[in-house]
Amino acid sequence: MRHNKATAPGRRYFTSGERDRAAVGVFTPKAAALFVATGIGLFYYFRYEKQKLLEQRQKELESRSVGRPHVGGPFTLTTHENKPFSDKDLLGKWNFVYFGFTNCPDICPAELDKIGSVLTSLEKDYGTIFQPVFISVDPARDSIPQMKTYLADFHPRIIGLTGDYETVKTTCKAYRVYFSTPPNADPKGDYLVDHSIYVYLMDPNGQFVEAFGQSSTPDEVVERVKKEISEFEKETGRKV
C-alpha cells in the first residue's frame, strides 16, 4: 500500500520537468542581452589593455634608443691579416670594439684578456655570434705584421685593425675615443699613448649598446650582454 509523502504546510515540491522549465526560464531575453553586452564589453576592455601594453612597450623601446649616445660611424681599416675591414663588417654580429696599442704595458693586455674571457663564457650559450675587434690608436708603430704578432697571445678570433693616421683619427672621433698619438710620431720611438679605456658593445645592426670600463668584471659584462641579447630578440625576433 503506497503512502503519500508528508508535505510541510505552505511548501510546494516541483517535479523534475517543472524544475527544468524554471531553470531555462531564468535565461530570459533580457539576461541574454546582458550576457552578450558583458562579453562585448570584456572584449573591448582587453583589446584596450593590450593596446596600452603595446604602446607602453613601444615607448620603452623609443626611450632605449633615444637614451643612447651616438657612437660609431663609417670607417675602413685593414686587418692584421691584411684584409679590408669596414663598419659594414660589424653588421650581423655582436661586436666588442676596443681601442688600444700594441706597446701598451698593462692596461690593453688586461682588457684584451677580459674580452677573451667574456667570449669564452658567452660562446658556450650562444655560439660564434660575437666579433671582437681591436683598433690601434698608434698607427705609426702598429703595422700589420706587428698587430699579427701581438694578437697571437690573445683570443684567436680577435680582429686587429690599423690604418693611416687620419683614418684612425676619424674612426676614434666617431667612437668618441680620445688618444694622444701625434700625427708625426716616430715608428721607432719609445713613447706611451694615453687613450680612452672602454670596450664598446655594438649590436648586430651596428648600433651602440654599452661601454664597459676597466672596473667592469667579466661576469658583469657577460650578464649585461645576455640581457641585451634578450631585449634585442624581443624587439626583432632574432639574436643577430
Side-chain angles (χ1 to χ4, degrees):
M1 178 175 135
R2 176 178 293 179
H3 295 280
N4 292 329
K5 182 182 291 186
T7 304
R11 178 178 296 177
R12 180 188 172 197
Y13 289 93
F14 292 93
T15 66
S16 60
E18 288 175 321
R19 283 197 297 272
D20 291 341
R21 286 193 297 273
V24 173
V26 172
F27 200 70
T28 62
K30 183 177 180 180
L34 180 61
F35 177 79
V36 171
T38 301
I40 294 173
L42 287 172
F43 169 77
Y44 282 106
Y45 170 76
F46 285 118
R47 191 170 75 169
Y48 170 74
E49 288 298 313
K50 180 181 179 181
Q51 185 61 34
K52 278 179 61 179
L53 288 174
L54 291 174
E55 290 175 0
Q56 181 180 355
R57 179 61 178 164
Q58 183 61 34
K59 287 179 181 178
E60 289 174 355
L61 296 180
E62 291 173 357
S63 176
R64 279 166 55 83
S65 176
V66 171
R68 292 175 179 173
H70 181 70
V71 175
F75 69 85
T76 300
L77 294 166
T78 304
T79 73
H80 67 283
E81 298 288 353
N82 200 22
K83 297 177 182 178
F85 188 103
S86 75
D87 54 295
K88 299 295 187 295
D89 292 299
L90 298 177
L91 302 179
K93 295 276 188 180
W94 288 88
N95 293 272
F96 294 98
V97 182
Y98 179 70
F99 292 78
F101 64 111
T102 63
N103 283 280
C104 181
D106 46 25
I107 295 175
C108 293
E111 291 301 291
L112 290 175
D113 279 337
K114 182 195 294 184
I115 291 174
S117 176
V118 168
L119 284 171
T120 299
S121 179
L122 287 171
E123 289 180 346
K124 292 177 182 177
D125 296 324
Y126 300 98
T128 56
I129 64 173
F130 308 96
Q131 183 170 241
V133 179
F134 172 61
I135 301 178
S136 172
V137 296
D138 185 17
R141 293 182 296 184
D142 288 345
S143 63
I144 292 172
Q146 170 65 14
M147 292 283 279
K148 187 170 185 177
T149 299
Y150 180 73
L151 290 176
D153 291 331
F154 300 100
H155 194 286
R157 292 208 304 107
I158 295 178
I159 299 171
L161 299 180
T162 190
D164 61 71
Y165 183 85
E166 287 304 320
T167 303
V168 168
K169 180 181 177 180
T170 300
T171 305
C172 287
K173 185 177 180 180
Y175 281 84
R176 302 188 179 188
V177 170
Y178 161 78
F179 73 108
S180 64
T181 312
N184 57 347
D186 181 1
K188 297 181 180 179
D190 184 16
Y191 56 87
L192 292 179
V193 178
D194 187 21
H195 62 91
S196 305
I197 307 168
Y198 290 102
V199 176
Y200 295 96
L201 175 66
M202 311 295 287
D203 73 19
N205 293 329
Q207 300 299 308
F208 169 77
V209 176
E210 183 60 278
F212 300 105
Q214 278 183 278
S215 62
S216 299
T217 67
D219 287 343
E220 289 171 342
V221 176
V222 167
E223 288 308 307
R224 180 57 187 272
V225 173
K226 286 182 176 180
K227 178 182 176 182
E228 292 299 334
I229 292 175
S230 177
E231 290 295 326
F232 184 85
E233 190 171 14
K234 288 178 184 177
E235 296 171 17
T236 65
R238 53 190 172 85
K239 288 185 173 65
V240 293

PDB file of all heavy atoms in Angstrom, residues 88-95 128-131 203-206 238-240:
ATOM      1  N   LYS A  88      80.716  48.116 -42.166  1.00  0.00           N
ATOM      2  CA  LYS A  88      79.719  47.159 -42.685  1.00  0.00           C
ATOM      3  C   LYS A  88      80.019  45.738 -42.200  1.00  0.00           C
ATOM      4  O   LYS A  88      79.111  44.902 -42.099  1.00  0.00           O
ATOM      5  CB  LYS A  88      79.712  47.184 -44.219  1.00  0.00           C
ATOM      6  CG  LYS A  88      79.334  48.532 -44.818  1.00  0.00           C
ATOM      7  CD  LYS A  88      77.897  48.899 -44.485  1.00  0.00           C
ATOM      8  CE  LYS A  88      77.441  50.157 -45.220  1.00  0.00           C
ATOM      9  NZ  LYS A  88      78.177  51.369 -44.799  1.00  0.00           N
ATOM     10  N   ASP A  89      81.284  45.467 -41.885  1.00  0.00           N
ATOM     11  CA  ASP A  89      81.654  44.135 -41.403  1.00  0.00           C
ATOM     12  C   ASP A  89      81.246  43.903 -39.946  1.00  0.00           C
ATOM     13  O   ASP A  89      81.395  42.798 -39.426  1.00  0.00           O
ATOM     14  CB  ASP A  89      83.165  43.924 -41.557  1.00  0.00           C
ATOM     15  CG  ASP A  89      83.588  43.840 -43.018  1.00  0.00           C
ATOM     16  OD1 ASP A  89      83.115  42.932 -43.707  1.00  0.00           O
ATOM     17  OD2 ASP A  89      84.375  44.707 -43.456  1.00  0.00           O
ATOM     18  N   LEU A  90      80.731  44.945 -39.313  1.00  0.00           N
ATOM     19  CA  LEU A  90      80.232  44.797 -37.949  1.00  0.00           C
ATOM     20  C   LEU A  90      78.797  44.268 -37.936  1.00  0.00           C
ATOM     21  O   LEU A  90      78.333  43.763 -36.913  1.00  0.00           O
ATOM     22  CB  LEU A  90      80.270  46.142 -37.209  1.00  0.00           C
ATOM     23  CG  LEU A  90      81.640  46.802 -37.019  1.00  0.00           C
ATOM     24  CD1 LEU A  90      81.460  48.152 -36.327  1.00  0.00           C
ATOM     25  CD2 LEU A  90      82.570  45.911 -36.216  1.00  0.00           C
ATOM     26  N   LEU A  91      78.119  44.397 -39.058  1.00  0.00           N
ATOM     27  CA  LEU A  91      76.702  44.011 -39.129  1.00  0.00           C
ATOM     28  C   LEU A  91      76.532  42.498 -39.040  1.00  0.00           C
ATOM     29  O   LEU A  91      77.339  41.743 -39.576  1.00  0.00           O
ATOM     30  CB  LEU A  91      76.081  44.531 -40.426  1.00  0.00           C
ATOM     31  CG  LEU A  91      76.167  46.047 -40.643  1.00  0.00           C
ATOM     32  CD1 LEU A  91      75.546  46.426 -41.985  1.00  0.00           C
ATOM     33  CD2 LEU A  91      75.489  46.796 -39.506  1.00  0.00           C
ATOM     34  N   GLY A  92      75.476  42.087 -38.351  1.00  0.00           N
ATOM     35  CA  GLY A  92      75.178  40.661 -38.240  1.00  0.00           C
ATOM     36  C   GLY A  92      75.890  39.950 -37.111  1.00  0.00           C
ATOM     37  O   GLY A  92      75.775  38.726 -36.967  1.00  0.00           O
ATOM     38  N   LYS A  93      76.615  40.713 -36.283  1.00  0.00           N
ATOM     39  CA  LYS A  93      77.314  40.142 -35.136  1.00  0.00           C
ATOM     40  C   LYS A  93      77.174  41.081 -33.939  1.00  0.00           C
ATOM     41  O   LYS A  93      76.937  42.277 -34.087  1.00  0.00           O
ATOM     42  CB  LYS A  93      78.808  39.965 -35.437  1.00  0.00           C
ATOM     43  CG  LYS A  93      79.143  38.971 -36.538  1.00  0.00           C
ATOM     44  CD  LYS A  93      79.190  37.553 -36.017  1.00  0.00           C
ATOM     45  CE  LYS A  93      79.708  36.589 -37.069  1.00  0.00           C
ATOM     46  NZ  LYS A  93      79.752  35.196 -36.576  1.00  0.00           N
ATOM     47  N   TRP A  94      77.340  40.526 -32.759  1.00  0.00           N
ATOM     48  CA  TRP A  94      77.504  41.341 -31.558  1.00  0.00           C
ATOM     49  C   TRP A  94      78.996  41.635 -31.448  1.00  0.00           C
ATOM     50  O   TRP A  94      79.797  40.711 -31.363  1.00  0.00           O
ATOM     51  CB  TRP A  94      77.003  40.608 -30.322  1.00  0.00           C
ATOM     52  CG  TRP A  94      75.508  40.504 -30.254  1.00  0.00           C
ATOM     53  CD1 TRP A  94      74.735  39.525 -30.783  1.00  0.00           C
ATOM     54  CD2 TRP A  94      74.622  41.443 -29.648  1.00  0.00           C
ATOM     55  NE1 TRP A  94      73.402  39.777 -30.543  1.00  0.00           N
ATOM     56  CE2 TRP A  94      73.304  40.957 -29.840  1.00  0.00           C
ATOM     57  CE3 TRP A  94      74.799  42.648 -28.957  1.00  0.00           C
ATOM     58  CZ2 TRP A  94      72.181  41.634 -29.362  1.00  0.00           C
ATOM     59  CZ3 TRP A  94      73.682  43.322 -28.484  1.00  0.00           C
ATOM     60  CH2 TRP A  94      72.387  42.824 -28.687  1.00  0.00           C
ATOM     61  N   ASN A  95      79.348  42.916 -31.489  1.00  0.00           N
ATOM     62  CA  ASN A  95      80.755  43.292 -31.557  1.00  0.00           C
ATOM     63  C   ASN A  95      81.270  43.886 -30.246  1.00  0.00           C
ATOM     64  O   ASN A  95      80.598  44.706 -29.604  1.00  0.00           O
ATOM     65  CB  ASN A  95      80.965  44.312 -32.671  1.00  0.00           C
ATOM     66  CG  ASN A  95      80.727  43.728 -34.049  1.00  0.00           C
ATOM     67  OD1 ASN A  95      81.632  43.190 -34.666  1.00  0.00           O
ATOM     68  ND2 ASN A  95      79.496  43.831 -34.530  1.00  0.00           N
ATOM     69  N   THR A 128      79.146  31.328 -31.999  1.00  0.00           N
ATOM     70  CA  THR A 128      80.016  32.394 -32.509  1.00  0.00           C
ATOM     71  C   THR A 128      79.219  33.539 -33.134  1.00  0.00           C
ATOM     72  O   THR A 128      79.386  33.870 -34.320  1.00  0.00           O
ATOM     73  CB  THR A 128      81.005  31.823 -33.534  1.00  0.00           C
ATOM     74  OG1 THR A 128      80.270  31.160 -34.574  1.00  0.00           O
ATOM     75  CG2 THR A 128      81.967  30.848 -32.893  1.00  0.00           C
ATOM     76  N   ILE A 129      78.364  34.169 -32.351  1.00  0.00           N
ATOM     77  CA  ILE A 129      77.606  35.316 -32.846  1.00  0.00           C
ATOM     78  C   ILE A 129      78.288  36.625 -32.428  1.00  0.00           C
ATOM     79  O   ILE A 129      77.734  37.708 -32.617  1.00  0.00           O
ATOM     80  CB  ILE A 129      76.142  35.309 -32.354  1.00  0.00           C
ATOM     81  CG1 ILE A 129      76.085  35.461 -30.828  1.00  0.00           C
ATOM     82  CG2 ILE A 129      75.437  34.051 -32.807  1.00  0.00           C
ATOM     83  CD1 ILE A 129      74.662  35.640 -30.299  1.00  0.00           C
ATOM     84  N   PHE A 130      79.503  36.503 -31.881  1.00  0.00           N
ATOM     85  CA  PHE A 130      80.237  37.674 -31.402  1.00  0.00           C
ATOM     86  C   PHE A 130      81.489  37.916 -32.244  1.00  0.00           C
ATOM     87  O   PHE A 130      82.054  36.984 -32.814  1.00  0.00           O
ATOM     88  CB  PHE A 130      80.641  37.479 -29.938  1.00  0.00           C
ATOM     89  CG  PHE A 130      79.509  37.102 -29.048  1.00  0.00           C
ATOM     90  CD1 PHE A 130      79.263  35.771 -28.728  1.00  0.00           C
ATOM     91  CD2 PHE A 130      78.655  38.070 -28.542  1.00  0.00           C
ATOM     92  CE1 PHE A 130      78.203  35.415 -27.917  1.00  0.00           C
ATOM     93  CE2 PHE A 130      77.587  37.730 -27.739  1.00  0.00           C
ATOM     94  CZ  PHE A 130      77.359  36.395 -27.418  1.00  0.00           C
ATOM     95  N   GLN A 131      81.886  39.183 -32.308  1.00  0.00           N
ATOM     96  CA  GLN A 131      83.075  39.544 -33.072  1.00  0.00           C
ATOM     97  C   GLN A 131      83.903  40.549 -32.261  1.00  0.00           C
ATOM     98  O   GLN A 131      83.487  41.690 -32.069  1.00  0.00           O
ATOM     99  CB  GLN A 131      82.673  40.158 -34.413  1.00  0.00           C
ATOM    100  CG  GLN A 131      83.839  40.509 -35.304  1.00  0.00           C
ATOM    101  CD  GLN A 131      83.382  40.877 -36.711  1.00  0.00           C
ATOM    102  OE1 GLN A 131      83.748  40.227 -37.682  1.00  0.00           O
ATOM    103  NE2 GLN A 131      82.569  41.916 -36.829  1.00  0.00           N
ATOM    104  N   ASP A 203      75.479  46.317 -31.307  1.00  0.00           N
ATOM    105  CA  ASP A 203      74.535  45.252 -31.643  1.00  0.00           C
ATOM    106  C   ASP A 203      74.663  44.835 -33.114  1.00  0.00           C
ATOM    107  O   ASP A 203      75.422  45.441 -33.878  1.00  0.00           O
ATOM    108  CB  ASP A 203      73.101  45.646 -31.270  1.00  0.00           C
ATOM    109  CG  ASP A 203      72.501  46.707 -32.191  1.00  0.00           C
ATOM    110  OD1 ASP A 203      73.008  46.903 -33.322  1.00  0.00           O
ATOM    111  OD2 ASP A 203      71.506  47.347 -31.794  1.00  0.00           O
ATOM    112  N   PRO A 204      73.937  43.803 -33.548  1.00  0.00           N
ATOM    113  CA  PRO A 204      74.056  43.310 -34.938  1.00  0.00           C
ATOM    114  C   PRO A 204      73.631  44.310 -36.003  1.00  0.00           C
ATOM    115  O   PRO A 204      73.886  44.097 -37.181  1.00  0.00           O
ATOM    116  CB  PRO A 204      73.143  42.069 -34.933  1.00  0.00           C
ATOM    117  CG  PRO A 204      73.162  41.597 -33.518  1.00  0.00           C
ATOM    118  CD  PRO A 204      73.150  42.859 -32.712  1.00  0.00           C
ATOM    119  N   ASN A 205      72.964  45.387 -35.585  1.00  0.00           N
ATOM    120  CA  ASN A 205      72.606  46.439 -36.534  1.00  0.00           C
ATOM    121  C   ASN A 205      73.663  47.536 -36.577  1.00  0.00           C
ATOM    122  O   ASN A 205      73.477  48.567 -37.233  1.00  0.00           O
ATOM    123  CB  ASN A 205      71.251  47.049 -36.173  1.00  0.00           C
ATOM    124  CG  ASN A 205      70.109  46.069 -36.357  1.00  0.00           C
ATOM    125  OD1 ASN A 205      70.164  45.198 -37.216  1.00  0.00           O
ATOM    126  ND2 ASN A 205      69.071  46.199 -35.546  1.00  0.00           N
ATOM    127  N   GLY A 206      74.742  47.328 -35.841  1.00  0.00           N
ATOM    128  CA  GLY A 206      75.812  48.315 -35.814  1.00  0.00           C
ATOM    129  C   GLY A 206      75.550  49.471 -34.876  1.00  0.00           C
ATOM    130  O   GLY A 206      76.245  50.494 -34.929  1.00  0.00           O
ATOM    131  N   ARG A 238      65.015  37.896 -33.334  1.00  0.00           N
ATOM    132  CA  ARG A 238      66.253  37.164 -33.655  1.00  0.00           C
ATOM    133  C   ARG A 238      67.358  37.594 -32.700  1.00  0.00           C
ATOM    134  O   ARG A 238      67.286  38.646 -32.087  1.00  0.00           O
ATOM    135  CB  ARG A 238      66.680  37.446 -35.097  1.00  0.00           C
ATOM    136  CG  ARG A 238      66.793  38.932 -35.423  1.00  0.00           C
ATOM    137  CD  ARG A 238      66.968  39.202 -36.899  1.00  0.00           C
ATOM    138  NE  ARG A 238      66.888  40.621 -37.199  1.00  0.00           N
ATOM    139  CZ  ARG A 238      67.890  41.480 -37.125  1.00  0.00           C
ATOM    140  NH1 ARG A 238      69.095  41.045 -36.753  1.00  0.00           N
ATOM    141  NH2 ARG A 238      67.733  42.753 -37.429  1.00  0.00           N
ATOM    142  N   LYS A 239      68.377  36.743 -32.596  1.00  0.00           N
ATOM    143  CA  LYS A 239      69.502  37.071 -31.707  1.00  0.00           C
ATOM    144  C   LYS A 239      70.529  37.943 -32.418  1.00  0.00           C
ATOM    145  O   LYS A 239      71.251  38.698 -31.781  1.00  0.00           O
ATOM    146  CB  LYS A 239      70.164  35.780 -31.206  1.00  0.00           C
ATOM    147  CG  LYS A 239      69.335  35.005 -30.184  1.00  0.00           C
ATOM    148  CD  LYS A 239      70.127  33.812 -29.646  1.00  0.00           C
ATOM    149  CE  LYS A 239      69.385  33.120 -28.497  1.00  0.00           C
ATOM    150  NZ  LYS A 239      68.118  32.516 -28.941  1.00  0.00           N
ATOM    151  N   VAL A 240      70.636  37.799 -33.744  1.00  0.00           N
ATOM    152  CA  VAL A 240      71.592  38.593 -34.522  1.00  0.00           C
ATOM    153  C   VAL A 240      70.920  39.141 -35.782  1.00  0.00           C
ATOM    154  O   VAL A 240      69.844  38.700 -36.149  1.00  0.00           O
ATOM    155  CB  VAL A 240      72.848  37.782 -34.921  1.00  0.00           C
ATOM    156  CG1 VAL A 240      73.652  37.433 -33.699  1.00  0.00           C
ATOM    157  CG2 VAL A 240      72.457  36.527 -35.697  1.00  0.00           C
TER     158      VAL A 240
END
